[in-house]
């Protein structure tokens, strides 16, 4: 069975040593910016606790809040749709697009512009719409870059963080006609601005994600730095907003907690440039909200893992993760990479994503920076148990663990194995002890010199 | 069963027992003009204090004399913008000067409701943006800001500085899709 494997994909990423180091340092720089933005806020830890508790409460009453949200949104003149899975979501979005814009398009393709939505990535919406003759343009700069390159985002906040400016220059030369070899971010961004302004003005329908949906008012909030969500929505006739069921918060004033946490945790900014509150469509325009399950209610039923639904998609756990930083977002082969992706993905397909809970040192840094206090590293550990029980461990790891468990349960055998190993390490040639197929641990590591005696032996000799 | 019913039923059977909703306090903090100005400059914006609202015109004349197409209901306008203004006119706007309602010192953001925008697209499609703000309406943080807001209307945005991106190698570029520059006139 051909299923993705994090170690293999990570190994491929690591072949380019310099790029791996650059990726590692760039994301660590973002983590440091986060720290600088967080430390001056005296109540930052209180805000994390509040954010976590508000989400805990919301999840425990989610059905009622969704109903309240729906009722208020309808009162506001918004059309509300429900999708059980990705297929239904895509069909609903296409139906809205065609019903509202087919006539106006008069034979040409309908033009859709999108701001960032990880949910539509999860549902593979773009491919579906394109197959149905709808022109889809991603307008977030990072997303536009990877759309040109036909790649998936490698990070939820910085989708093109795996690329260097030379790569972007090459892509823009090909698609936007910028000068060959041009790699100045200012000039490349200006080229994208000019190109996308045309698209904004020409669009029939604008689609956005949702950062927060407020039950009390039926409003939803979209956060961007570029202004692409507002520009798109306010120029197009139809606005479609797609949201997972977990985006709900009860009251408007709860936004005051999340807007202080989100950008500081994500990029180290005090707040995103635009925090946009959509409640009613403009005169003569249409607004639609698509509420999507796609596996979320199942995760809600897993007591050990439901807290993963509290995620506000800031990406802080990725920026801090030593494994993510050195393996790249694509090595996870899941819409949401990094530590949070590694606890969301096994819920979707345990077999396919069985290697992801192991893509961690369990250092706990993800949990420490999470603005809604998800116990990410604890959940990673718990998924490992489930992967083991489901017999999804790779053979070497499975038998290695079984063997180790046996040895550890028999003190005499353990002592003897230790002695043999210490002796062998001293005698055997380096090429054999570090043979990479026999000892994968030594692929990028040196074993320490073997001590003459074990701690147990030393203790026997020295205790008084 | 519709998907709506299915989702709601699945939540009802899978959700944990009810957890209490915490109270969010109105945190205290420094709501000074100085802090607002410093933070705004840190995120690529600029803040200028003027003696009164009437003096905004002098400031616009001083800083933006090179811009031709100005849309505003506060200073002298050269382009009339309203709800029905078409995209081709909106595209030509060089500068929009609009009223901001609440400024937040902690993050340099300003609340702009739809009623102050002339047209929903204007604050985003304009090449440059100026917001004017009464210094009495600067608060310390977002708790105080939402507390002061009486609802969010049909549409409203907290705007913090100019449009920006760091999507190419984390290099900060001001002027992504929205305003290339953003100034606040505090009176």
């Amino acid at each position: 069975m051909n299923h993705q494997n994090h170690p293999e994909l990570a190994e491929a990423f690591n072949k380019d040593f310099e790029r791996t180091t650059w990726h590692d340092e760039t994301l660590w720089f973002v983590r440091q910016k986060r720290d600088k933005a967080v430390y001056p806020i005296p109540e930052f830890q209180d805000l994390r606790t509040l954010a976590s508790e508000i989400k805990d409460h919301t999840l425990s009453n989610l059905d009622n809040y969704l109903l309240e949200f729906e009722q208020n949104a309808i009162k506001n003149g918004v059309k509300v749709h429900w999708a059980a899975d990705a297929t239904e979501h895509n069909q609903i979005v296409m139906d809205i697009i065609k019903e509202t814009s087919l006539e106006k398009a008069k034979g040409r393709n309908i033009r859709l512009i999108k701001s960032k939505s990880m949910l539509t990535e999860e549902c593979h919406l773009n491919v579906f719409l394109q197959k149905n003759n709808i022109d889809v343009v991603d307008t977030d700069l990072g997303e536009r870059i990877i759309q040109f390159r036909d790649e998936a985002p490698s990070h939820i906040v910085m989708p093109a963080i795996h690329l260097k400016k030379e790569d972007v220059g090459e892509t823009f030369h090909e698609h936007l006609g910028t000068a060959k070899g041009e790699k100045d971010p200012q000039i490349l961004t200006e080229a994208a601005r000019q190109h996308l302004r045309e698209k904004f003005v020409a669009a029939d329908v604008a689609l956005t994600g949702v950062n927060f949906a407020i039950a009390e008012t039926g409003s939803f909030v979209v956060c961007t730095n570029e202004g692409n969500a507002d520009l798109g929505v306010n120029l197009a006739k139809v606005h479609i907003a797609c949201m997972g069921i977990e985006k709900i918060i009860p009251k408007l004033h709860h936004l005051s907690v999340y807007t202080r946490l989100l950008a500081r945790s994500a990029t180290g900014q005090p707040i995103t440039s635009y925090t946009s509150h959509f409640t009613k469509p403009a005169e003569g325009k249409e607004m639609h909200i698509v509420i999507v399950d796609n596996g979320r209610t199942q995760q809600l039923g897993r007591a050990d893992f439901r807290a993963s639904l509290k995620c506000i998609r800031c990406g802080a756990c990725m920026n801090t993760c030593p494994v993510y930083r050195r393996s790249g977002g694509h090595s996870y082969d899941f819409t949401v990479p990094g530590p949070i992706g590694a606890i969301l993905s096994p819920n979707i397909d345990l077999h396919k994503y069985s290697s992801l809970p192991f893509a961690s040192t369990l250092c706990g840094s993800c949990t420490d920076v999470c603005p809604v206090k998800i116990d990410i590293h604890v959940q990673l550990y718990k998924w490992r148990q489930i992967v083991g029980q489901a017999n999804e461990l790779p053979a070497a790891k499975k038998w290695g663990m079984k063997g180790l468990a046996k040895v550890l349960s028999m003190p005499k055998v353990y002592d003897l194995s230790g002695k043999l190993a210490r002796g062998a390490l001293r005698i055997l040639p380096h090429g054999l002890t570090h043979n990479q197929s026999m000892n994968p641990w030594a692929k990028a590591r040196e074993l320490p010199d073997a001590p003459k005696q074990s701690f147990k032996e030393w203790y026997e000799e020295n205790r008084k | 069963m519709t998907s709506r019913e299915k989702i709601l039923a699945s939540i009802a059977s899978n959700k944990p027992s009810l957890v209490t909703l915490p109270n969010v306090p109105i945190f205290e903090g420094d709501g000074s003009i100085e802090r607002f100005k410093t933070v705004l400059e840190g995120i690529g914006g600029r803040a200028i204090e003027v003696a009164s609202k009437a003096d905004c015109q002098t400031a616009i004349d001083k800083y933006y004399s090179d811009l031709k197409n100005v849309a505003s209901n506060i200073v002298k306008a050269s382009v009339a913008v309203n709800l029905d203004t078409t995209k081709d006119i909106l595209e030509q706007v060089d500068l929009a000067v609009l009223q901001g309602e609440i400024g937040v010192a902690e993050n340099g953001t300003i609340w702009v409701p739809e009623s102050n925008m002339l047209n929903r697209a204007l604050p985003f499609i304009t090449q440059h943006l100026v917001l004017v703000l009464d210094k009495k309406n600067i608060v310390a943080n977002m708790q105080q800001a939402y507390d002061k807001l009486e609802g969010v209307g049909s549409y409203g945005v907290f705007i913090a500085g100019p449009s920006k991106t760091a999507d190419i190698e984390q290099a900060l570029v001001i002027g992504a899709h929205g305003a290339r520059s953003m100034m606040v006139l505090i009176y």
Side-chain angles (χ1 to χ4, degrees):
Chain A
M1 186 81 180
N2 178 29
H3 65 89
Q4 76 94 44
N5 177 320
H6 181 266
E8 282 166 23
L9 294 168
E11 193 170 7
F13 182 79
N14 272 266
K15 286 217 167 83
D16 187 339
F17 181 76
E18 271 175 39
R19 188 176 283 240
T20 308
T21 304
W22 172 81
H23 188 267
D24 179 19
E25 286 169 355
T26 305
L27 286 155
W28 184 248
F29 170 69
V30 181
R31 158 70 211 262
Q32 288 173 316
K33 283 203 296 182
R34 175 253 175 215
D35 291 349
K36 280 193 200 114
V38 162
Y39 296 155
I41 306 298
E43 58 267 25
F44 197 81
Q45 297 306 327
D46 298 333
L47 291 169
R48 285 179 75 217
T49 304
L50 285 167
S52 172
E53 289 175 357
I54 294 167
K55 285 276 184 179
D56 279 333
H57 164 78
T58 311
L59 289 175
S60 75
N61 194 30
L62 188 59
D63 44 353
N64 293 319
Y65 282 128
L66 280 165
L67 285 170
E68 186 185 347
F69 174 76
E70 179 191 43
Q71 199 178 26
N72 287 320
I74 291 170
K75 261 191 238 161
N76 294 332
V78 179
K79 295 192 178 118
V80 180
H81 312 258
W82 299 73
D85 54 27
T87 311
E88 192 178 9
H89 162 267
N90 293 350
Q91 190 63 45
I92 289 170
V93 171
M94 188 175 75
D95 290 345
I96 298 169
I97 293 173
K98 293 211 160 158
E99 272 164 35
T100 56
S101 309
L102 200 58
E103 208 171 303
K104 195 183 141 210
K106 290 188 190 111
R108 66 161 166 82
N109 281 2
I110 301 173
R111 300 170 186 139
L112 173 74
I113 45 162
K114 289 175 67 202
S115 68
K116 184 111 64 64
S117 154
M118 292 316 294
L119 174 63
T120 60
E121 290 285 343
E122 174 188 320
C123 296
H124 303 290
L125 176 70
N126 287 13
V127 181
F128 173 78
L129 294 179
Q130 281 157 345
K131 273 190 199 145
N132 286 282
N133 300 318
I134 292 164
D135 292 344
V136 182
V137 174
D138 279 316
T139 59
D140 173 81
L141 177 61
E143 293 229 307
R144 188 62 178 150
I145 294 167
I146 57 168
Q147 190 181 28
F148 279 141
R149 299 171 62 94
D150 201 16
E151 290 176 358
S154 68
H155 189 288
I156 58 173
V157 174
M158 301 167 278
I161 197 67
H162 58 291
L163 298 171
K164 305 208 57 167
K165 58 188 177 203
E166 289 81 5
D167 305 323
V168 179
E170 199 53 46
T171 304
F172 278 18
H173 172 64
E174 189 186 325
H175 292 271
L176 300 180
T178 50
K180 178 102 188 135
E182 181 59 68
K183 55 177 186 184
D184 179 348
Q186 184 85 45
I187 292 171
L188 296 174
T189 303
E190 182 63 30
R193 177 184 173 101
Q194 300 300 338
H195 156 72
L196 285 166
R197 281 237 156 186
E198 284 173 28
K199 303 286 182 193
F200 281 121
V201 172
D204 302 301
V205 182
L207 186 147
T208 69
V210 169
N211 289 91
F212 307 100
I214 301 104
E216 175 185 41
T217 60
S219 320
F220 58 92
V221 168
V222 181
C223 304
T224 75
N225 279 322
E226 300 182 5
N228 54 322
D230 298 275
L231 196 49
V233 165
N234 294 328
L235 291 175
K237 190 127 189 341
V238 182
H239 177 185
I240 306 171
C242 301
M243 58 175 269
I245 53 168
E246 80 283 20
K247 295 291 174 187
I248 294 273
I249 54 173
K251 306 259 178 219
L252 189 63
H253 79 261
H254 292 145
L255 283 169
S256 70
V257 174
Y258 297 100
T259 51
R260 292 181 78 186
L261 291 168
L262 179 61
R264 285 180 199 272
S265 301
T267 56
Q269 293 170 261
I271 192 166
T272 48
S273 303
Y274 304 95
T275 306
S276 310
H277 302 57
F278 295 93
T279 306
K280 294 179 187 172
E283 192 71 30
K285 297 196 177 186
E286 277 185 40
M287 200 185 273
H288 297 259
I289 294 171
V290 190
I291 301 172
V292 185
D293 180 349
N294 206 33
R296 288 164 176 76
T297 54
Q298 177 179 267
Q299 187 86 324
L300 185 65
R302 301 181 195 267
D304 283 344
F305 303 109
R306 67 166 62 103
S308 62
L309 294 171
K310 290 153 70 176
C311 176
I312 57 171
R313 301 290 190 266
C314 71
C317 60
M318 294 162 207
N319 306 339
T320 201
C321 177
V323 176
Y324 173 88
R325 282 189 276 119
R326 296 201 67 88
S327 61
H330 290 154
S331 66
Y332 293 79
D333 197 21
F334 184 68
T335 312
V336 179
I340 182 70
I343 60 172
L344 290 171
S345 55
N347 170 58
I348 304 298
D349 187 338
L350 185 68
H351 176 67
K352 185 173 177 195
Y353 300 110
S354 61
S355 68
L356 294 189
F358 296 89
S360 165
T361 62
L362 300 185
C363 70
S365 185
C366 45
T367 304
D368 286 343
V369 297
C370 178
V372 291
K373 290 189 151 182
I374 302 170
D375 54 343
I376 304 175
H377 73 293
V378 176
Q379 294 192 31
L380 284 165
Y381 174 77
K382 287 180 177 168
W383 272 120
R384 290 181 182 188
Q385 316 308 309
I386 292 175
V387 169
Q389 282 154 18
N391 208 18
E392 291 285 357
L393 284 174
K397 189 171 267 167
K398 180 174 154 190
W399 293 111
M401 287 296 187
K402 278 193 192 248
L404 192 64
K406 267 252 152 32
V407 171
L408 289 174
S409 65
M410 297 183 288
K412 290 227 166 76
V413 180
Y414 175 72
D415 287 346
L416 183 64
S417 316
K419 241 187 200 98
L420 288 172
R422 282 192 297 279
L425 275 177
R426 274 199 299 274
I427 300 160
L428 293 175
H430 183 271
L432 192 61
T433 57
H434 287 68
N435 181 299
Q436 301 201 348
S437 55
M438 281 168 63
N439 183 7
W441 189 88
K443 270 184 189 172
R445 301 179 181 94
E446 271 304 313
L447 287 163
D449 289 335
K452 291 212 169 59
Q453 53 183 184
S454 70
F455 172 75
K456 193 172 162 190
E457 289 163 348
W458 178 88
Y459 186 72
E460 291 290 341
E461 267 177 41
N462 288 280
R463 79 163 159 190
K464 286 176 185 139
Chain B
M1 205 148 103
T2 63
S3 289
R4 177 180 179 276
E5 288 161 355
K6 249 195 301 195
I7 293 168
L8 291 170
S10 178
I11 293 171
S13 63
N14 286 345
K15 68 180 181 181
S17 47
L18 192 66
V19 178
T20 329
L21 179 65
N23 281 320
V24 180
I26 305 290
F27 290 98
E28 297 297 310
D30 174 6
S32 65
I33 300 175
E34 288 66 39
R35 187 183 186 203
F36 178 83
K37 284 168 76 170
T38 311
V39 173
L40 183 66
E41 273 155 31
I43 55 174
R46 192 169 174 194
I48 308 271
E49 285 183 68
V50 294
S52 72
K53 195 172 173 180
D55 291 316
C56 289
Q57 184 68 55
T58 321
I60 297 298
D61 294 343
K62 181 175 168 192
Y63 293 104
Y64 296 98
S65 57
D66 55 326
L67 297 181
K68 203 167 120 250
N69 298 330
V70 180
S72 181
N73 54 354
I74 289 162
V75 297
K76 219 163 43 215
S78 53
V79 190
V81 172
N82 58 39
L83 294 178
D84 304 319
T85 306
T86 52
K87 294 180 197 180
D88 54 318
I89 308 252
L90 288 169
E91 261 193 297
Q92 307 299 319
V93 175
D94 298 313
L95 174 68
V97 183
L98 304 171
Q99 181 75 46
E101 291 300 329
I102 298 169
V104 183
E106 183 182 272
N107 56 29
T109 194
I110 295 177
W111 176 250
V112 185
E114 177 180 27
S115 50
N116 295 9
M117 291 180 185
L118 303 180
N119 180 297
R120 282 194 188 195
L122 182 62
F124 313 98
I125 201 165
T126 180
Q127 297 290 334
H128 301 272
L129 176 66
V130 171
L131 295 176
V132 305
L133 182 67
D134 186 338
K135 61 180 173 228
K136 287 201 305 286
N137 293 334
I138 296 179
V139 299
N141 57 41
M142 295 306 283
Q143 274 80 35
Q144 297 182 10
Y146 279 103
D147 191 48
K148 206 170 157 75
L149 270 184
E150 282 167 15
V152 285
S154 301
Y155 172 61
V157 183
F158 277 109
I159 299 179
S163 161
K164 56 181 90 67
T165 183
D167 273 347
I168 302 175
E169 271 200 18
Q170 275 297 291
L172 179 68
V173 177
I174 304 284
H177 301 301
R180 295 175 187 275
S181 78
M182 195 270 200
M183 186 190 271
V184 181
L185 299 175
I186 304 170
Y187 63 89

